């Protein structure tokens, strides 16, 4: 995959992007009785490729829901810091087995999860983040956090 397929100069409304994707997953969130908390989403634009940014949000949201336990909680925080947009997905999923954080973005990596999936979601997310000059981090403590940082302008 090459970055020449991305059009990074388009304006993307962050609030529209998130509301659209969250509405797609509303039924799944209700079916799992997940308590969803969302910080106020800033009404702002960033430069990026709308198609790939939609996939990024969709993949992260789908994973966060998939790995949240029934009746669990999911928190989404979107913050502006130093010309960066910081997006956090925090859920109360605690892995039963040790998670090799470095392997989470490898293609086809599924760990020891019994969840259905191809193991491509986070590798695609990493590719999108890299091609938007951002960073992707995972943190495991009392919760599982996925943190994406993207520059507001390139």
């Amino acid at each position: 995959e090459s970055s020449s397929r991305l059009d990074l100069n388009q304006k993307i409304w962050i609030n529209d992007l998130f509301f659209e994707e969250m509405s797609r997953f509303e039924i799944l969130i209700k079916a799992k009785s997940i308590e969803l908390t969302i910080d106020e989403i800033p009404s702002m634009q960033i430069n990026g490729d709308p198609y790939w940014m939609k996939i990024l949000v969709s993949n992260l949201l789908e994973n966060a829901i998939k790995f949240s336990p029934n009746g669990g909680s999911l928190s989404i925080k979107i913050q502006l810091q130093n010309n960066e947009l910081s997006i956090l997905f925090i859920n109360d999923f605690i892995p039963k087995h040790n998670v090799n954080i470095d392997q989470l973005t490898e293609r086809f990596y599924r760990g020891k999860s019994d969840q259905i999936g191809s193991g491509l979601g986070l590798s695609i997310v990493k590719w999108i983040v890299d091609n938007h000059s951002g960073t992707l981090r995972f943190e495991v403590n009392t919760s599982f956090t996925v943190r994406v940082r993207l520059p507001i302008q390139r």
Side-chain angles (χ1 to χ4, degrees):
E1 296 168 324
S2 110
S3 61
S4 64
R5 293 187 192 162
L6 278 75
D7 179 358
L8 300 174
N9 295 315
Q10 295 187 58
K11 297 284 187 202
I12 303 164
W13 284 100
I14 291 301
N15 50 339
D16 290 347
L17 175 67
F18 270 86
F19 288 129
E20 185 179 314
E21 289 309 303
M22 287 186 307
S23 69
R24 289 183 49 234
F25 289 98
E26 193 173 346
I27 293 170
L28 189 54
I29 291 167
K30 285 181 180 172
K32 289 189 76 174
S33 302
I34 293 171
E35 181 186 331
L36 179 62
T37 308
I38 305 165
D39 279 4
E40 185 175 332
I41 298 174
S43 179
M44 61 165 292
Q45 291 179 315
I46 64 168
N47 290 340
D49 186 299
Y51 172 79
W52 289 106
M53 287 299 293
K54 183 176 179 171
I55 290 174
L56 176 130
V57 171
S58 178
N59 282 0
L60 289 175
L61 191 53
E62 183 177 12
N63 267 5
I65 295 165
K66 183 191 301 186
F67 289 101
S68 288
N70 288 339
S73 65
L74 169 59
S75 178
I76 300 172
K77 299 179 183 296
I78 300 172
Q79 305 159 339
L80 282 172
Q81 302 169 322
N82 306 327
N83 271 347
E84 281 188 326
L85 183 71
S86 187
I87 305 167
L88 291 87
F89 289 83
I90 306 161
N91 67 13
D92 50 9
F93 164 71
I94 302 298
K96 296 175 193 157
H97 309 282
N98 285 342
V99 173
N100 185 338
I101 298 291
D102 296 333
Q103 286 184 306
L104 288 177
T105 57
E106 288 180 10
R107 291 171 67 154
F108 306 112
Y109 178 74
R110 295 187 58 236
K112 294 184 173 149
S113 168
D114 57 359
Q115 294 290 336
I116 295 169
S118 65
L120 288 174
L122 289 176
S123 67
I124 292 169
V125 165
K126 179 163 179 21
W127 180 84
I128 296 167
V129 169
D130 288 349
N131 279 282
H132 282 80
S133 304
T135 60
L136 174 65
R137 300 270 181 272
F138 304 98
E139 301 158 18
V140 181
N141 42 43
T142 58
S143 61
F144 189 86
T145 302
V146 178
R147 179 186 309 264
V148 173
R149 285 198 175 114
L150 298 166
I152 294 171
Q153 295 180 336
R154 270 169 289 303

